[in-house]
Amino acid sequence: GTVAIAFLAVIAVVFVSIPPVSAKTISLNYANFPPAPTFPCVQMEQWKTVVETRTDNAVRINTFPGGTLLGPKEMMDGVISGQADIGCLCMAYQPGRFTVTNAVSLPLGIPDSKVGSLVLTDLFNAYKPKAFDKVKVLALFTTAPANIMSRKRVATLGDLKGMDLRASGGAAEILKIWGANQIGMPMSATPEALQKGVVQGLFSSLEVMKDLKFAEECPYATLTNTVVYPFAVVMNLDRWNALPQAVKTVMENLSREQAVWTGTYMDNHVNDAVEWSKKTHGVEFVELDDASAATWNKALAPITQRWITTASEKGFDGKAIVDTIQHLVDQHTK
Ligand code: 3IO
């Protein structure tokens, strides 16, 4: 009798004092919309590794690439409602929803992804846009500037006229003004649209030539280096508020570092993808001559002014937002 009671007591003490590891580990689901080899998912795996390491594995990040947890347009609302704890979204897919942050996809001369990512991060911190009030923003970054990838060679605005090309948000506005037949859809829907002939090409950053194998469908790329696409990584607010302070600090300290890491990765990877596309698929990269480049750029002039007017009608100080972006671009371009 006594021995049995003592034995049970020991068992009880062990259970109470050493809870299973899983009870202490914080497990977070992180949703992403495009396939695993693409840059939004590469930066997600990087973020996961850094967070797990810096929290001594007190946090476990379960990643869901390829839209398996949330799709491209349901990312923000899916995180707000808690279907995923964390989500990576492209703001260009809901241009009316993210007015301030989407202004980085105006043609304001962002030269690369690293500068774009820093500009977007600083712009967000300066304005703290209401569009993000229902989430915690963990990181912000942009693509490298967009270029035309197409089945047919494009060297003049005449070549572009009426061509069915896909783009979203600010990049879509630019295709329209150049006279292309702009078709809106997320990047994740583009491989099928290209294969089925629904579109003749796309307007985005060039690393997808390799990551999504667009070099197989698009033997031509025309270098316009105009605008970037902005992204945000957001977290469910209740899940964020429930985190221990030490974990919050790790994630907050990582925000700017993640922007720089992603920008640097993207810029290097674009160069890599261009070389790969030339070598393995013989893709021609068409450079506009000075006269054409001047014509293309001149056509863009009304876009920013028009955006300022529209934003101001919605109650934003459009002029101040554009001025801030221009100042940040100068500051970060060295
Ligand atoms: C993008 C989105 C998902 C995967 C790779 C990507 N490279 C550039 C983008 C930008 C974008 O969201 C788009 O739709 O062109």
Side-chain angles (χ1 to χ4, degrees):
T2 330
V3 173
I5 287 168
F7 181 72
L8 285 175
V10 166
I11 299 265
V13 166
V14 166
F15 264 90
V16 170
S17 59
I18 311 171
V21 176
S22 58
K24 280 185 90 176
T25 308
I26 299 159
S27 186
L28 300 172
N29 291 340
Y30 186 153
N32 218 327
F33 66 94
T38 61
F39 93 95
C41 294
V42 173
Q43 72 78 34
M44 169 171 75
E45 295 302 327
Q46 165 70 14
W47 191 87
K48 163 193 164 82
T49 303
V50 173
V51 168
E52 288 178 350
T53 306
R54 291 186 188 170
T55 59
D56 289 324
N57 294 311
V59 175
R60 165 109 201 134
I61 310 291
N62 309 305
T63 57
F64 294 82
T68 48
L69 188 53
L70 288 172
K73 292 190 185 177
E74 55 188 7
M75 201 55 82
M76 186 70 171
D77 289 324
V79 168
I80 290 171
S81 70
Q83 286 172 269
D85 302 316
I86 301 172
C88 174
L89 67 127
C90 178
M91 294 178 254
Y93 303 161
Q94 291 180 295
R97 184 171 188 171
F98 304 105
T99 304
V100 177
T101 44
N102 267 321
V104 301
S105 46
L106 290 167
L108 297 172
I110 290 174
D112 56 38
S113 173
K114 186 176 170 198
V115 170
S117 300
L118 286 169
V119 168
L120 176 58
T121 300
D122 287 351
L123 179 75
F124 178 86
N125 288 327
Y127 279 86
K128 298 271 177 347
K130 276 199 170 51
F132 294 93
D133 277 357
K134 289 182 180 165
V135 294
K136 170 70 183 178
V137 174
L138 297 175
L140 296 143
F141 46 82
T142 74
T143 63
N147 292 299
I148 297 165
M149 296 160 253
S150 53
R151 285 191 185 281
K152 290 188 189 146
R153 194 172 188 279
V154 175
T156 66
L157 287 181
D159 297 334
L160 203 57
K161 192 139 192 69
M163 191 182 274
D164 298 326
L165 295 178
R166 104 10 93 177
S168 295
E173 296 306 310
I174 286 170
L175 277 189
K176 281 190 232 168
I177 228 165
W178 281 340
N181 182 34
Q182 178 267 330
I183 298 176
M185 70 181 77
M187 181 62 86
S188 38
T190 308
E192 194 184 323
L194 259 175
Q195 263 155 30
K196 290 194 170 158
V198 173
V199 296
Q200 299 294 306
L202 70 151
F203 188 49
S204 189
S205 51
L206 291 171
E207 92 294 346
V208 288
M209 288 292 266
K210 184 177 185 183
D211 296 342
L212 291 172
K213 303 242 171 15
F214 290 156
E216 290 173 6
E217 312 282 337
C218 301
Y220 301 101
T222 304
L223 302 176
T224 65
N225 285 315
T226 39
V227 294
V228 299
Y229 284 81
F231 283 71
V233 179
V234 297
M235 181 165 177
N236 176 275
L237 212 47
D238 290 337
R239 293 289 277 168
W240 169 259
N241 289 332
L243 290 177
Q245 184 53 49
V247 172
K248 287 182 177 170
T249 302
V250 165
M251 290 182 182
E252 282 182 331
N253 288 346
L254 184 52
S255 172
R256 193 175 186 79
E257 194 183 324
Q258 186 69 15
V260 172
W261 189 92
T262 305
T264 307
Y265 167 79
M266 165 64 97
D267 291 329
N268 290 331
H269 195 52
V270 163
N271 292 335
D272 176 45
V274 167
E275 288 316 307
W276 178 87
S277 302
K278 286 179 188 169
K279 222 176 261 162
T280 60
H281 289 84
V283 172
E284 182 190 352
F285 289 81
V286 181
E287 294 197 39
L288 299 178
D289 57 46
D290 289 350
S292 296
T295 315
W296 291 55
N297 285 330
K298 202 163 154 244
L300 302 182
I303 287 187
T304 300
Q305 195 48 54
R306 212 167 58 194
W307 181 88
I308 289 175
T309 306
T310 313
S312 302
E313 282 164 8
K314 287 202 274 174
F316 297 94
D317 189 344
K319 174 85 168 58
I321 293 167
V322 167
D323 287 348
T324 303
I325 293 170
Q326 262 159 350
H327 173 79
L328 289 169
V329 173
D330 289 345
Q331 186 191 321
H332 289 298
T333 308
K334 282 181 206 115

